[in-house]
Amino acid sequence: QVQLVESGGGLVQPGGSLRLSCVASGFDFRAYAMGWYRQVPGKERELVAGISYNGAGTDYKDFAKGRFTISRDSAKNTLFLQMTALNPEDTGVYFCAKGTMSRTSGGYHYWGQGTQVTVSS
């Protein structure tokens, strides 16, 4: 079965950086787009960024552009999210997601349990 296990969250000061990781299993990681979602307090879960099956295509929500970078290592079945210039509004639970197809346009249908990111001084 599909398993997605996130790690790398934690407490960071405003302006700091974090790198999230997600190890995937139970499916052919190389064949599917992957994404990162987040749920911040008081809001619904939202897409942060997506990456195509081969890493050639990426897309970001406006709040992530220029600060976050999504990447993947298909040899290790691992998805990454490098986050910089973090601010308190980025506080929330971050989830790894499996795409329904090779491109990000197909949406996502499995999520991991999430990793908590807290930005505070």
Side-chain angles (χ1 to χ4, degrees):
Q1 68 278 20
V2 173
Q3 287 194 319
L4 303 168
V5 180
E6 302 94 337
S7 63
L11 175 64
V12 62
Q13 292 188 340
S17 300
L18 277 177
R19 189 191 196 203
L20 306 183
S21 299
C22 169
V23 177
S25 61
F27 65 101
D28 186 355
F29 182 77
R30 299 165 298 176
Y32 290 91
M34 296 292 294
W36 285 99
Y37 278 72
R38 73 180 187 183
Q39 187 161 19
V40 301
K43 294 186 178 181
E44 294 186 353
R45 190 179 300 187
E46 60 181 344
L47 180 65
V48 175
I51 187 167
S52 65
Y53 74 106
N54 61 359
T58 57
D59 52 68
Y60 299 88
K61 289 299 186 182
D62 285 346
F63 64 81
K65 290 179 180 177
R67 299 192 300 133
F68 296 179
T69 303
I70 188 171
S71 62
R72 64 192 296 162
D73 183 344
S74 291
K76 297 181 179 180
N77 281 13
T78 304
L79 178 73
F80 301 101
L81 184 68
Q82 178 69 48
M83 303 188 294
T84 64
L86 287 163
N87 59 64
E89 291 70 38
D90 295 316
T91 293
V93 181
Y94 285 70
F95 302 88
C96 173
K98 173 187 173 295
T100 63
M101 56 185 286
S102 61
R103 298 179 180 177
T104 59
S105 57
Y108 304 89
H109 62 162
Y110 285 98
W111 288 265
Q113 293 300 305
T115 186
Q116 176 70 44
V117 172
T118 302
V119 185
S120 175
S121 56

